[in-house]
Amino acid sequence: MPPSQRTVLTETVYDLIRRRLVDRDIEPGSKLNIHSLSLDLDVSPTPVREALARLEADGLVVKRSLAGYAAAPLLSSEQLEDLFEMRLLLEPAAASRAATRISEADLARLDELLDGMRRSAGGRSDKRTLNLFVHHDTLFHEQIAASGANALMSDTLRRLHSHTHLYRLHFDGEMAAATCREHERIVEALREAEPDTAAGAMRTHIRRAQDRIGDPRTS
C-alpha cells in the first residue's frame, strides 16, 4: 500500500476507535485486542497498532507491560482538577485569539454545531442522543481553537478535549441546556470581534461546567 493510502487508512482507524472510546462504546479500563479490532474494522493489524499508539499519546488508551493496550480509566478527582485548570489557562486565550481571526465560514460552522447541540439537549436522554451532544460540544470547542490559527494551541486543546468525554457523559438535559446558553454568549462575542468578552464568556463557561459536574465518580 502506498504511504499516502496507509496514512489515510491509519487516520480513519484512529478516528473510528477514538469515537468508540469517547462514546464509551469501549468502556474505560477495558482491554483492547488488536486482532479483534482489526477484524471488526476489516483492516490489517498494522493500522490498528498505529492508531492505538496515537491514542496512547492522546491519553485515551494505556499500554501495559506484557498485557497490551487498554482504554484509559476514568480521571481521578485530582486529574479532573488539573484538566479544568489547563482549560482555564488555554481556552479563554484561544477564544480571545479567535475573536480577531475567525471567518464567516467558521462562525457558520459554530452556529451549525450549536444548533445540533440544541436539538440534542431537547431530545431524549438516551445514550445515542447524549453521545451526539458530546460530539458536537467537542467539535465546538475545537473549532474555536482552530479559528485562532495557532496550530500548537489547537493541537494541545484537542488532546485535552480527548478527556472531557469522561465527565461530559454525565450530563443531563438541564446541564446540556445551560451549556448551550453559555455557548451562545461565546459565539456572540466572537461575532462581535470582542477578544476580552470572548475570553470572559469562555472562562465563565468552563468554571460553570466544573461547578455543574463536580466529580463524576460521585454522581
Side-chain angles (χ1 to χ4, degrees):
M1 181 183 296
S4 60
Q5 291 183 20
R6 177 174 170 178
T7 300
V8 170
L9 179 58
T10 299
E11 185 72 25
T12 300
V13 171
Y14 166 83
D15 287 338
L16 289 171
I17 299 175
R18 182 178 186 270
R19 185 67 186 270
R20 291 185 182 187
L21 290 163
V22 169
D23 289 351
R24 285 182 68 171
D25 292 329
I26 301 174
E27 286 294 332
S30 61
K31 183 176 175 58
L32 298 171
N33 185 285
I34 291 175
H35 180 66
S36 297
L37 285 170
S38 65
L39 288 176
D40 188 35
L41 299 174
D42 194 24
V43 297
S44 72
T46 298
V48 174
R49 288 194 187 93
E50 293 172 347
L52 290 176
R54 283 185 59 189
L55 290 162
E56 182 187 14
D58 289 345
L60 281 174
V61 305
V62 293
K63 189 174 184 180
R64 298 165 177 165
S65 179
L66 304 178
Y69 289 100
L74 288 172
L75 297 181
S76 67
S77 298
E78 292 76 14
Q79 289 170 325
L80 189 64
E81 189 77 22
D82 290 346
L83 173 63
F84 273 108
E85 183 177 357
M86 287 301 297
R87 291 188 67 192
L88 281 167
L89 285 171
L90 292 176
E91 292 205 61
S96 175
R97 184 178 174 86
T100 58
R101 294 168 173 81
I102 197 164
S103 68
E104 287 299 323
D106 292 337
L107 286 167
R109 176 59 174 157
L110 289 176
D111 286 337
E112 178 185 342
L113 292 168
L114 184 52
D115 188 53
M117 291 175 68
R118 291 192 194 99
R119 291 196 302 271
S120 299
R124 299 171 297 171
S125 296
D126 57 22
K127 182 178 178 180
R128 181 180 178 279
T129 301
L130 199 51
N131 285 349
L132 186 59
F133 179 92
V134 172
H135 181 59
H136 285 146
D137 188 18
T138 299
L139 292 178
F140 181 91
H141 283 269
E142 291 181 357
Q143 179 64 61
I144 291 173
S147 298
N150 182 318
L152 181 58
M153 180 180 286
S154 181
D155 185 60
T156 300
L157 285 171
R158 183 189 63 78
R159 292 173 184 271
L160 282 178
H161 288 146
S162 293
H163 300 280
T164 57
H165 73 286
L166 295 177
Y167 69 87
R168 276 190 286 196
L169 287 179
H170 292 264
F171 269 15
D172 57 26
E174 185 177 341
M175 291 178 178
T179 297
C180 288
R181 290 192 296 270
E182 291 158 16
H183 280 193
E184 288 168 4
R185 286 190 280 274
I186 294 169
V187 173
E188 288 172 5
L190 292 172
R191 183 165 278 115
E192 293 168 4
E194 293 286 349
D196 291 343
T197 305
M202 181 65 79
R203 188 175 296 107
T204 296
H205 167 52
I206 296 170
R207 285 175 173 163
R208 288 180 178 174
Q210 186 173 16
D211 290 341
R212 283 192 294 266
I213 299 300
D215 184 349
R217 294 173 183 271
T218 64
S219 62

